[in-house]
Amino acid sequence: MEIALKDLLLQQKRCFVGDSDYLVYGLKEAILKAKSIDINVAFLMESGVWLLQPELKEAAANNILIRILTGNYLNITQPQALYLLKDTLGDNVDLRFYNISNKSFHPKAYIFEYEYDGDIFIGSSNISKSALTHGIEWNYRILKSESPQDFKLFKDKFEDLFFYYSTIVDEMELKRY
């Protein structure tokens, strides 16, 4: 009973502020029930990928396509994080770099669509252990059913960036990076 109540409270939680209020738990819950997963972050660190790896692997095993758009500015995204994603998720991840060199790319959004609803976690957390756990990072959960226009705006912008302003991270791009 206590576990079910804890899960229900997590599903209703809207604000995550870091320190001892970890965003990673909300993301893990969302990944496991998602029918689609879109991640839009300025950078990826291996430490953060490891935190999400079991749930992402399970989603991939269920043939959920996972799309990730990240930055390559100043080489902050770690190559080992990219390789870990590719090795873990195989063809179930569509991994891309934002490719406009003279424009800042600093989003942090995690978009999940479910059978009957959806969530967007948006705020200050990139994919790193610190950002997803003990760091002071503020994030907010938008429910598709409660804010359909906001959800659509962020989802549409992700689609635009992903398809028209990105470079596919394949083996050649990984070696070049």
Side-chain angles (χ1 to χ4, degrees):
M1 178 73 171
E2 187 176 313
I3 292 173
L5 180 59
K6 185 178 177 183
D7 290 343
L8 179 61
L9 292 174
L10 183 57
Q11 291 172 6
Q12 295 173 346
K13 186 171 180 53
R14 298 290 185 272
C15 299
F16 299 82
V17 295
D19 196 19
S20 62
D21 185 19
Y22 292 2
L23 176 63
V24 72
Y25 298 127
L27 296 178
K28 286 173 172 273
E29 173 212 25
I31 290 168
L32 291 175
K33 65 181 186 178
K35 300 295 180 200
S36 71
I37 300 169
D38 296 324
I39 298 173
N40 191 20
V41 291
F43 64 82
L44 301 165
M45 304 295 272
E46 184 181 21
S47 63
V49 174
W50 277 115
L51 287 174
L52 299 174
Q53 191 240 13
E55 290 75 18
L56 289 172
K57 188 174 183 176
E58 187 173 330
N62 290 322
N63 292 315
I64 305 299
L65 180 62
I66 301 158
R67 300 186 302 174
I68 301 173
L69 180 61
T70 192
N72 57 8
Y73 179 68
L74 297 177
N75 296 329
I76 296 172
T77 291
Q78 294 178 323
Q80 56 270 40
L82 301 169
Y83 280 106
L84 179 58
L85 283 167
K86 293 292 237 176
D87 291 344
T88 300
L89 306 176
D91 292 337
N92 287 82
V93 66
D94 189 345
L95 184 57
R96 300 185 184 204
F97 283 135
Y98 177 72
N99 69 3
I100 305 300
S101 59
N102 60 347
K103 187 174 281 205
S104 173
F105 181 77
H106 213 246
K108 288 99 173 160
Y110 302 82
I111 306 168
F112 303 97
E113 294 205 70
Y114 312 126
E115 191 167 343
Y116 299 108
D117 206 353
D119 282 323
I120 296 177
F121 295 80
I122 193 161
S124 64
S125 292
N126 284 295
I127 296 183
S128 71
K129 183 177 181 180
S130 173
L132 298 178
T133 60
H134 61 276
I136 304 300
E137 303 273 354
W138 289 13
N139 296 278
Y140 189 76
R141 176 188 268 166
I142 299 170
L143 274 72
K144 183 178 182 179
S145 58
E146 292 179 2
S147 301
Q149 290 177 316
D150 293 340
F151 190 94
K152 183 178 179 342
L153 177 92
F154 285 114
K155 179 73 174 180
D156 288 351
K157 188 59 181 176
F158 174 83
E159 296 286 335
D160 183 55
L161 292 170
F162 194 80
F163 287 114
Y164 301 110
Y165 301 96
S166 69
T167 300
I168 295 171
V169 179
D170 55 16
E171 281 301 314
M172 194 161 73
E173 187 64 26
L174 271 171
K175 287 178 183 172
R176 186 176 17 247
Y177 182 68

